[in-house]
Amino acid sequence: MPRQEIVGQDLVSCEMAVDGSRFRMGFAQPDGSICDLDLPSACLQSLVMTLPRMMAALLRARHGDESLRFVYPTEQVRIEQAAEPGKLILTLTTADGFEMAFALNDALFKAFEIARHRLEREAPNAPSSAVSPLN
């Protein structure tokens, strides 16, 4: 079967089925028409994992600098006890509502604390916003 290429110019809509089984993303094409990409919800996890890697690769390729990273400015940090013993859930949220949650075991959470203390020692005159405690 031949492949069909969709050339999107702008993302114009995102919708999901009421039952959560599918999602649809609408794109404006260069000729002004709109095309929809309709996928099963199982594809969304793959996209969530793939898009940040693609963004980083595009940024590095565009600027020719392998050290560049796409950084999301965090507005809110939330730490909660996970249902699984010995695990915490770290949720980071940006001002525009992008939110990502990570499960951390005790060793990983301790690594955050160690890194924060190390940064405070190495840069004692840095602005307080550069190193802030997790709340």
Side-chain angles (χ1 to χ4, degrees), residues 72-78 91-98 132 135:
Y72 302 93
T74 303
E75 179 86 7
Q76 181 183 13
V77 175
R78 192 170 66 246
T91 304
L92 305 174
T93 307
T94 64
D96 60 1
F98 174 69
S132 59
N135 29 341

Side-chain angles (χ1 to χ4, degrees), residues 83-94:
E84 186 178 339
K87 299 268 183 164
L88 296 171
I89 299 172
L90 170 67
T91 304
L92 305 174
T93 307
T94 64

Side-chain angles (χ1 to χ4, degrees), residues 14-127:
C14 294
E15 304 167 358
M16 64 176 228
V18 175
D19 67 359
S21 64
R22 301 190 70 78
F23 70 98
R24 176 181 295 146
M25 298 167 64
F27 297 92
Q29 297 184 102
D31 66 4
S33 66
I34 303 292
C35 64
D36 288 327
L37 178 61
D38 187 302
L39 297 168
S41 59
C43 290
L44 195 52
Q45 182 176 358
S46 296
L47 283 172
V48 167
M49 298 302 287
T50 302
L51 291 175
R53 285 192 295 261
M54 287 179 69
M55 185 67 198
L58 288 170
L59 181 67
R60 291 170 181 157
R62 180 178 292 155
H63 297 282
D65 184 345
E66 286 297 312
S67 70
L68 293 179
R69 290 172 286 168
F70 190 74
V71 177
Y72 302 93
T74 303
E75 179 86 7
Q76 181 183 13
V77 175
R78 192 170 66 246
I79 300 170
E80 306 165 88
Q81 180 63 54
E84 186 178 339
K87 299 268 183 164
L88 296 171
I89 299 172
L90 170 67
T91 304
L92 305 174
T93 307
T94 64
D96 60 1
F98 174 69
E99 182 176 285
M100 188 62 70
F102 300 90
L104 302 176
N105 61 29
D106 290 335
L108 288 172
F109 192 74
K110 187 71 174 168
F112 274 100
E113 293 180 72
I114 291 167
R116 181 176 65 90
H117 291 298
R118 184 178 307 134
L119 288 170
E120 286 174 340
R121 281 193 311 273
E122 292 174 2
N125 297 324

